[in-house]
Amino acid sequence: MFDGYDSCSEDTSSSSSSDESEEEVAPLPSSLPIIKNNGQVYTYPDGKSGMATCEMCGMVGVRDAFYSKTKRFCSVSCSRSYSSNSKKASILARLQGKPPTKKAKVLQKKPLVAKLAAYAQYKATLKNQSVNKAPVTVEGFSWGNYITSNNVIAAPVTCFRHAPMGNCWGDIAEGVRIEVPNTDSNLPTKVFWISGIVKLAGYNALLRYEGFENDSSLDFWCNICGPDIHPVGWCATSGKPLVPPQSIQHKYTNWKAFLVKRLTGAKTLPPDFSQKVSENMQYPFKPSMRVEVVDKTHLCRTRVAVVESVIGGRLRLVYEESEDKTDDFWCHMYSPLIHPIGWSRSIGHRFKRTDILKKQESNYDAPSHLFIKVKDVEQGSEWFKEGMKLEAIDPLNLSAICVATIRKVLAEGYLMIGIDGSEAADGSDWFCYHASSPSIFPVGFCEINKIELTPPRGYTKLPFKWFDYLRETGSIAAPVKLFNKDVPNHGFRVGMKLEAVDLMEPRLVCVATVTRIIHRLLRIHFDGWEDEYDQWVDCESPDLYPVGWCQLTGYQLQPPAPQSNKDGQSNVSKQKKKSKSQPYKGHKKK
């Protein structure tokens, strides 16, 4: 068994390395570590950074006892040997996880500390792994098969800044090498082998074991952020065996030399990758926190709700008056629909008071710093005014951009918007948008970008012309300069797959596709459903996630609607109406 290749001799490895030196791959500049032992820092049991690994022999020891100012080597001889043997010697040491030699006597002064540090590292790894919830699978649906069979691409993780690892994904790409469980083995214990990323789809990667070359027969998909994925060198430092797959074990007599040749100069995951994943999946909102959230039965006001559960940053909020806890609302913790207690009063927004007797003593107000901050604006003389016209995404029909009117100007840049021709008499369906919201647009936006503008209900002078409508209603258009014109380099492309919330039924996260991009505005299509269920969503919406997000966080993914449901959709769509009382609870997906 190739347990760190301890059974292989030094002479064999050095001769094999020498014969194959002309095929060495030059390292590329990258934020990912090049595979070599680069003084990886370990941690004392008390949390202090004080352990290091020799870049030549792989010995773990007290950092202060290492040779030279850089503390890269355990002794003078290792430093000199490294200079002559260069990268191949260092990767060999990392793969082997060598025991200390005579030249490393200085490191044996504190063997217990080294052992404790390694044990602490091991326990920390186990703790990080235990944080990750068990994957939620959907019977009959596999993202990997779906991506492969349809020959499509997924939006990269870097498109989703609010998602775990969205800001620290780095250069993880095709060709990166990792250590994963070897499923092609007849050994009774769990063993590992090195794989390369063949294709990336969000958090998911198509992997191929080293040694299979162009043979894809054992390629497999897995979630890169899963607990069994490790950077190259993890097995050596953790005492885990590296064993080549059984079906190709006969291909090479010297697997150690093969790995040295294949891995020198290649990229692997950062050594703290699993730690970063664990940190990114810690969420500040906790159950029993109280917030103000939009009232789903009357959009014009907010109500107090209590955080019931948190999954992947998504909050299940239960309205405080709900005694049986069934009157709930789902949204992301960065949603613009939730606010700290007292927000409505501070800006002049309508608010439904809660019976103080029903407030539970265990509930407490969520700290204001947890909520997303809106852009500061100056409400000067040329600010938005009541009666001004604009175009806005209809919150009751997110597939439509409609003719709209500013009905009320609130403090701190907030506006109450009404959809022309379909407003309730009491204004209960007015919706609050901030002036910087990417869901409101100046007059003419749809025409310029060749988007169908939904005219007011009952308006007969078609095709709709803004010039005529403004004259007929005696209105003026909101100044163009007041709208948000920032367009980030979001990275989305038409055809990319992702997981997206059905905002008409926000407890559901579905398989979806980007079908159109207008500046920062994305048209999201739910796979298997008719186009009329599409939704316009901002590129930075916290309701969009990378492929594999549901599996990573333990959230239930809604697969594409089966073909047999297509006829049923047609019947349902004929009955589709705007609901004033249930704006966020649609009929769409069961």
Side-chain angles (χ1 to χ4, degrees), residues 386-447:
E386 289 183 19
M388 283 183 172
K389 300 293 183 182
L390 69 163
E391 298 174 5
I393 296 176
D394 185 351
L396 299 178
N397 179 14
L398 295 163
S399 66
I401 299 179
C402 305
V403 173
T405 303
I406 297 174
R407 293 303 180 188
K408 189 176 182 181
V409 178
L410 308 179
E412 298 182 16
Y414 287 96
L415 310 168
M416 297 303 296
I417 307 293
I419 303 299
D420 285 22
S422 58
E423 296 176 63
D426 59 356
S428 61
D429 58 355
W430 293 354
F431 195 75
C432 185
Y433 280 125
H434 192 265
S436 62
S437 170
S439 297
I440 59 174
F441 317 96
V443 163
F445 173 85
C446 285
E447 182 179 359

Side-chain angles (χ1 to χ4, degrees), residues 8 57 209 239 333 399 445 477 590:
C8 299
C57 71
Y209 290 122
M333 62 182 182
S399 66
F445 173 85
K590 302 297 183 184

Side-chain angles (χ1 to χ4, degrees), residues 557-588:
L557 176 67
Q558 303 299 314
Q563 200 70 23
S564 59
N565 283 4
K566 289 291 180 71
D567 295 336
Q569 290 180 39
S570 299
N571 296 330
V572 169
S573 63
K574 291 176 183 177
Q575 304 168 6
K576 187 179 181 183
K577 302 290 182 183
K578 272 191 186 181
S579 169
K580 299 298 181 184
S581 61
Q582 295 291 332
Y584 287 101
K585 191 172 182 180
H587 53 267
K588 177 180 159 185

